[in-house]
Amino acid sequence: METKIFAKDQIDEAVALLREGELVAFPTETVYGLGAIATKEESVKNVYKAKGRPSDNPLIVTVSDEKMVERYAKSVPDRAKKLIKHFWPGPLTILLFVKEGSLPTAVTGGLKTVAFRCPDDKLTHDLIAKLGYPIVGPSANTSTKPSPTTAQHVYHDLRGKIAGIIDGGETRVGLESTIVDLSVETPIVLRPGEITPEEISEVLGEEVLINTGKVSDKEIPKAPGMKYRHYAPSAPVVVVDDVNDFAKIDFNDHIGVMALEDELDKIDLPKANKFNLGRNLVDADHNLFSGLRYFDDKKDITQIYVQGFNEGQASLAYMNRLNKAAGGHHF
Ligand code: TXA
Ligand code: MG
């Protein structure tokens, strides 16, 4: 299959392909998503195939507005309305009970809940509004690889497997949306993202829990996808939590380093072995997946050291993704 790249003004062609049941990748402010009309079961199944994704890992339903949520959620509680009003369009995904029979089980993985997201991206908003149907929106990468932050990343992973990619340039945030579960008594953040638990708590005026991924005797629902290996390049990744530890590493030409500019400057390695994460944590969020992909393509690199951050809730999302890429391995 030929994978077409669409420019901003070619949305109508993408809409036509989606209506025919084809898969089209789309930009969002977080990462690129892999779209198929959420009510077309066959197309949704093909999304799993294209990504190589286990079928028990449910998909996000990407909508253009709150009205679309009402069609597929059992109800939209006040808490959800507050969050939607404050954060949408934006990088917050909300878990609600699904209206039975309104979506194929391939979307929900057979769960009683469904994840709704309304991205802050005009192209994608217009695409969904034109379709009149929500589209599923898992990240448009091959399963286990870092999420794509450019159309080229999507092309690299899914060329020949999907009908098209809408090129909206580099994504703004670079890490996937915050997921908050509102189907439980106390809201819980299942996946950290740009919007922090504190910010959600402030808008709701109530306590918000954070899923740490640790097993406790209290049954905590988790995002099924979080249990899988993720984001990992082919070479092992090690997190360097204290930047002073970079000086202790015995560098050679097979080592890659990802760090902020100021730290990289102090390290004696060829330019090709260094990936600049930028000047601060926001830049690092934006660049993390690109860096992991950069080294994934360099087969002579056998070990990658990546700078860690300890900036409270602001660094939760970055550290969550980096810890997964590193399999929990710290210097
Ligand atoms: O920023 C994002 O959210 C991106 C862009 C493309 O919108 N999408 C994204 O989708 O990251 P995906 O499929 O790569 O990650 C969604 C996560 C998975 O870990 C999945 O298990 C979880 O959300 N999830 C989906 N539906 C769920 C449900 N009903 N209950 C619990 N977790 C759910
Ligand atoms: Mg993903």
Side-chain angles (χ1 to χ4, degrees):
M1 176 190 297
E2 189 209 345
T3 302
K4 284 191 190 159
I5 310 258
F6 297 118
K8 285 184 180 141
D9 54 359
Q10 295 175 303
I11 284 202
D12 288 343
E13 284 184 59
V15 168
L17 283 171
L18 286 162
R19 283 210 179 107
E20 287 161 24
E22 300 289 345
L23 312 187
V24 176
F26 58 93
T28 81
E29 78 281 40
T30 58
V31 301
Y32 276 73
L34 181 54
I37 293 186
T39 52
K40 283 185 187 276
E41 183 155 29
E42 272 313 303
S43 312
V44 172
K45 283 186 177 160
N46 286 335
V47 168
Y48 286 89
K49 268 188 222 150
K51 280 180 60 72
R53 176 169 173 134
S55 60
D56 66 343
N57 189 2
L59 305 179
I60 287 177
V61 171
T62 318
V63 298
S64 53
D65 55 28
E66 184 178 340
K67 275 217 175 77
M68 227 176 228
V69 174
E70 287 164 7
R71 279 158 47 190
Y72 305 98
K74 199 169 187 178
S75 69
V76 184
D78 280 347
R79 292 202 292 210
K81 290 203 171 105
K82 272 191 198 165
L83 294 183
I84 288 171
K85 188 159 182 246
H86 195 89
F87 293 110
W88 280 13
L92 181 70
T93 297
I94 296 173
L95 241 73
L96 298 173
F97 286 110
V98 65
K99 189 182 281 178
E100 243 174 83
S102 69
L103 289 166
T105 37
V107 173
T108 58
L111 298 174
K112 286 197 172 358
T113 52
V114 58
F116 292 102
R117 158 140 162 78
C118 180
D120 186 13
D121 186 286
K122 195 178 174 312
L123 279 183
T124 296
H125 173 275
D126 293 352
L127 175 87
I128 298 170
K130 276 190 179 168
L131 272 174
Y133 287 96
I135 54 178
V136 292
S139 49
N141 52 292
T142 298
S143 199
T144 80
K145 289 296 173 194
S147 297
T149 56
T150 65
Q152 288 69 38
H153 292 163
V154 181
Y155 193 75
H156 175 277
D157 282 15
L158 301 177
R159 165 191 42 196
K161 295 180 176 170
I162 63 175
I165 304 169
I166 303 170
D167 190 350
E170 245 182 79
T171 62
R172 179 181 67 79
V173 181
L175 301 176
E176 306 89 339
S177 62
T178 306
I179 302 180
V180 63
D181 188 352
L182 297 182
S183 73
V184 285
E185 208 171 289
T186 309
I188 178 166
V189 169
L190 300 182
R191 179 176 72 182
E194 184 184 55
I195 295 171
T196 62
E198 264 162 11
E199 290 175 279
I200 298 170
S201 175
E202 208 162 290
V203 171
L204 290 180
E206 62 177 312
E207 186 194 11
V208 171
L209 301 174
I210 304 171
N211 173 36
T212 58
K214 292 192 189 93
V215 185
S216 75
D217 30 13
K218 229 172 126 195
E219 182 77 354
I220 292 181
K222 296 191 194 100
M226 304 304 272
K227 73 177 181 236
Y228 296 107
R229 185 184 141 90
H230 225 149
Y231 311 123
S234 19
V237 173
V238 177
V239 185
V240 180
D241 293 290
D242 179 350
V243 288
N244 295 314
D245 285 343
F246 278 120
K248 298 180 190 156
I249 297 168
D250 192 12
F251 289 112
N252 64 58
D253 285 358
H254 298 289
I255 289 178
V257 176
M258 291 168 57
L260 293 185
E261 206 165 288
D262 293 348
E263 300 307 324
L264 278 189
D265 285 346
K266 301 176 202 156
I267 294 170
D268 185 26
L269 270 179
K271 217 174 162 211
N273 294 48
K274 299 186 192 179
F275 187 92
N276 184 355
L277 285 177
R279 308 190 69 89
N280 51 40
L281 175 61
V282 172
D283 290 349
D285 285 352
H286 180 84
N287 294 322
L288 177 67
F289 288 152
S290 274
L292 293 172
R293 281 178 177 268
Y294 172 76
F295 285 120
D296 194 30
D297 285 340
K298 287 183 113 28
K299 300 305 170 202
D300 51 330
I301 297 292
T302 55
Q303 179 90 288
I304 308 162
Y305 291 95
V306 186
Q307 181 173 347
F309 289 86
N310 185 4
E311 299 186 13
Q313 292 208 348
S315 51
L316 276 180
Y318 176 94
M319 290 308 289
N320 169 273
R321 307 317 189 271
L322 178 54
N323 271 319
K324 275 178 202 300
H329 197 164
H330 289 245
F331 186 80

